[in-house]
């Protein structure tokens, strides 16, 4: 050995894990609280997760994926229907595990499986299912809404598949994606989400008296408490980013569509930019469903939110949504757009997003003195310029 040298190798910096679908980070729950009032017809929660030291990074506009676990009662009911012990060992692509473990963590059971429907129609010759599959897609979707895998099993009382044959007709359980509702600058070391709990209560049509629940939302609402861990990973959303701090923004997000905009406003409140922030929000009832009400009112009062307009759809004879509210501020909205504001829309894709786009087009027609085609072309131009951004689902 040459004098003055050492056999010790330089210490390598510890490699941070890459959290992903296959390797989610076990985030500890700090807070899990109800945002809506007990009297509300909706159930929305606020969760705060500890990500300190995880290496997870996000910016406002990004999404978080939550790894769910299926409801024990539904898992038990399916196992009873199959007529085998829950500790039966099965072999699937994950290797060997018990049937309870597979149904809890491995497969989608809270919604209708298209593979199982196809099996019932073709292999089992179920004429009712065959007729639905051959009919209109809208009718099938309406029938499937709220039903789960146990409902499909019970369509054929004489079918008693082996666990492996049954599991072969199911889809793998996937993570559920939620918009992140926190700012990493303001809420350092934590990640917030605002999930709506999906529940379909028992109806006479289904006949068995069971309530049905969403896989992830009911897991977060009913079976996750402070101190528990939840598997998560972050998905960047590069098409839903804040502009420069001096640019005005218009945010349109009824219901849980508020989530990314809560992050936006907190992030912009800490900047020195001159850009103004205008939020259109929607709730059914002021006292029951106005998500983050006190917080938003405080942000408005301290100037972080320059404009706050909220539509309460159930507080008058005619329902009023954010799209109606926009029309009442058409001239000022058009001025903001004309002067360079960026428009963001987050929430329901089925109706809300289309109604909002129609409202924007009508405002451009009225105050831009153009026809409908030109207004739609303007929206397309804004979209191509990154000034009309949507995160809808």
């Amino acid at each position: 050995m040459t004098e003055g040298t050492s056999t010790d190798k330089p210490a390598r910096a510890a490699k941070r894990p890459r959290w992903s679908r296959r390797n989610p980070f076990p985030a500890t729950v700090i807070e899990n609280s109800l945002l809506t009032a007990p009297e509300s017809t909706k159930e929305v929660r606020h969760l705060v997760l500890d990500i300190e030291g995880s290496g997870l990074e996000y910016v406002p506009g990004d999404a978080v994926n939550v790894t769910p676990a299926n409801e024990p009662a539904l898992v038990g009911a399916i196992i009873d229907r199959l007529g085998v012990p829950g500790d039966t060992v099965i072999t699937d692509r994950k290797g060997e595990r018990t049937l309870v473990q597979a149904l809890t963590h491995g497969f989608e059971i809270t919604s209708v499986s298209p593979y199982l429907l196809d099996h019932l129609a073709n292999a089992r010759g179920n004429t009712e299912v065959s007729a639905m599959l051959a009919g209109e897609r809208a009718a099938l979707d309406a029938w499937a809404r709220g039903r789960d895998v146990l409902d499909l099993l019970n369509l054929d009382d004489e079918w008693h598949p082996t666990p492996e044959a049954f599991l072969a007709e199911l889809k793998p359980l996937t993570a559920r994606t939620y918009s992140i509702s926190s700012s990493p600058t303001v809420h350092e070391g934590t990640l917030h989400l605002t999930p709506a709990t999906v529940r379909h209560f028992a109806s006479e049509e289904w006949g068995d008296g069971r309530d049905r629940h969403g896989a992830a939302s009911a897991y977060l609402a009913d079976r996750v408490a402070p101190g528990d861990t939840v598997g998560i990973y972050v998905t960047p959303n590069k098409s839903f980013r804040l502009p420069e701090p001096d640019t005005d923004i218009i945010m349109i997000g009824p219901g849980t569509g508020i989530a990314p905009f809560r992050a936006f406003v907190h992030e912009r409140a800490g900047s020195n930019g001159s850009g103004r922030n205008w939020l259109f929000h929607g709730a059914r009832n002021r006292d029951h469903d106005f998500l983050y009400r006190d917080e938003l009112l405080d942000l408005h009062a301290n100037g972080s939110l320059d404009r706050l307009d909220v539509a309460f759809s159930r507080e008058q004879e005619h329902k009023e949504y954010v799209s109606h509210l926009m029309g009442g501020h058409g001239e000022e909205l058009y001025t903001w757009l004309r002067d360079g504001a960026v428009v963001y829309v987050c929430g329901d894709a089925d109706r809300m997003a289309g109604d909002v786009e129609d409202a924007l087009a009508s405002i451009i027609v009225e105050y831009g003195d153009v026809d409908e085609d030109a207004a739609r072309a303007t929206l397309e131009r804004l979209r191509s310029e990154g000034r009309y951004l949507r995160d809808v689902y």
Side-chain angles (χ1 to χ4, degrees):
M1 182 189 304
T2 304
E3 187 176 354
T5 64
S6 169
T7 57
D8 293 335
K9 295 181 179 179
R12 292 184 178 179
K15 185 178 181 181
R16 286 181 171 176
R18 179 177 176 85
W19 306 112
S20 64
R21 176 177 60 86
R22 296 179 181 275
N23 183 38
F25 171 68
T28 300
V29 178
I30 299 173
E31 178 185 344
N32 185 351
S33 57
L34 188 63
L35 282 177
T36 45
E39 301 90 344
S40 174
T41 54
K42 288 192 171 186
E43 179 183 337
V44 180
R45 307 193 73 83
H46 173 68
L47 275 84
V48 179
L49 306 180
D50 184 357
I51 61 169
E52 187 71 41
S54 67
L56 280 172
E57 296 180 349
Y58 69 91
V59 299
D62 286 347
V64 61
N65 304 275
V66 175
T67 304
N70 285 317
E71 181 188 16
L74 179 57
V75 169
I78 291 173
I79 290 172
D80 288 344
R81 170 64 179 79
L82 293 175
V84 298
D87 60 2
T88 299
V89 177
I90 60 98
T91 302
D92 60 14
R93 61 189 184 85
K94 294 287 187 179
E96 287 191 346
R97 49 182 168 170
T98 67
L99 183 56
V100 167
Q101 291 171 331
L103 287 173
T104 301
H105 302 289
F107 295 92
E108 296 284 356
I109 61 173
T110 60
S111 59
V112 167
S113 163
Y115 309 122
L116 188 51
L117 275 178
D118 186 70
H119 181 85
L120 289 170
N122 296 304
R124 299 293 300 171
N126 187 300
T127 55
E128 178 188 356
V129 175
S130 297
M132 285 193 297
L133 291 176
E136 294 290 333
R137 177 59 186 267
L140 176 61
D141 289 344
W143 177 88
R145 181 173 174 77
R147 283 185 165 86
D148 56 31
V149 161
L150 182 58
D151 291 312
L152 299 192
L153 270 173
N154 290 336
L155 289 175
D156 187 344
D157 292 337
E158 296 182 359
W159 187 40
H160 298 283
T162 65
E164 286 84 358
F166 170 65
L167 296 178
E169 305 299 336
L170 304 183
K171 296 187 295 184
L173 183 62
T174 58
R176 274 30 176 200
T177 304
Y178 299 97
S179 296
I180 297 173
S181 54
S182 52
S183 157
T185 304
V186 177
H187 308 103
E188 187 176 358
T190 64
L191 184 152
H192 303 185
L193 59 155
T194 310
T197 308
V198 177
R199 301 190 193 276
H200 299 280
F201 295 103
S203 70
E204 293 182 4
E205 178 187 358
W206 295 336
D208 61 2
R210 288 188 304 115
D211 293 336
R212 280 75 167 166
H213 309 286
S217 63
Y219 163 64
L220 293 173
D222 301 336
R223 301 190 299 282
V224 168
D228 293 339
T229 60
V230 174
I232 64 169
Y233 59 98
V234 170
T235 298
N237 187 355
K238 295 181 180 179
S239 62
F240 208 73
R241 290 280 194 262
L242 280 169
E244 293 301 316
D246 291 335
T247 302
D248 294 339
I249 63 172
I250 301 166
M251 300 163 284
I252 305 166
T256 55
I258 188 67
F261 302 141
R262 177 179 184 260
F264 280 11
V265 176
H266 278 293
E267 184 77 7
R268 300 251 298 188
S271 75
N272 295 319
S274 60
R276 296 171 297 172
N277 308 309
W278 188 350
L279 173 64
F280 286 93
H281 184 42
R284 293 185 177 184
N285 182 283
R286 184 186 309 269
D287 295 326
H288 299 166
D289 320 283
F290 187 174
L291 305 182
Y292 299 112
R293 178 179 63 180
D294 293 343
E295 185 177 318
L296 290 175
L297 292 175
D298 286 345
L299 288 165
H300 185 223
N302 70 26
S304 299
L305 254 180
D306 297 88
R307 291 288 304 267
L308 173 62
D309 290 286
V310 186
F312 299 106
S313 62
R314 303 297 196 273
E315 292 198 346
Q316 56 281 314
E317 184 178 351
H318 301 289
K319 293 179 182 177
E320 182 176 78
Y321 299 113
V322 289
S323 53
H324 302 130
L325 202 60
M326 291 164 61
H329 300 286
E331 186 171 7
E332 191 169 2
L333 266 172
Y334 178 77
T335 300
W336 280 48
L337 281 175
R338 183 198 63 199
D339 294 345
V342 178
V343 181
Y344 299 87
V345 181
C346 183
D348 171 55
D350 289 338
R351 287 194 55 185
M352 182 279 297
D355 290 345
V356 165
E357 183 154 317
D358 289 344
L360 287 171
S362 295
I363 288 168
I364 294 169
V365 167
E366 181 173 359
Y367 297 100
D369 195 23
V370 296
D371 62 18
E372 176 76 13
D373 289 342
R376 297 289 177 176
T378 297
L379 288 175
E380 285 304 311
R381 176 176 58 79
L382 292 176
R383 198 191 311 268
S384 67
E385 293 174 353
R387 291 182 49 212
Y388 176 32
L389 306 175
R390 307 200 311 174
D391 183 9
V392 296
Y393 40 83

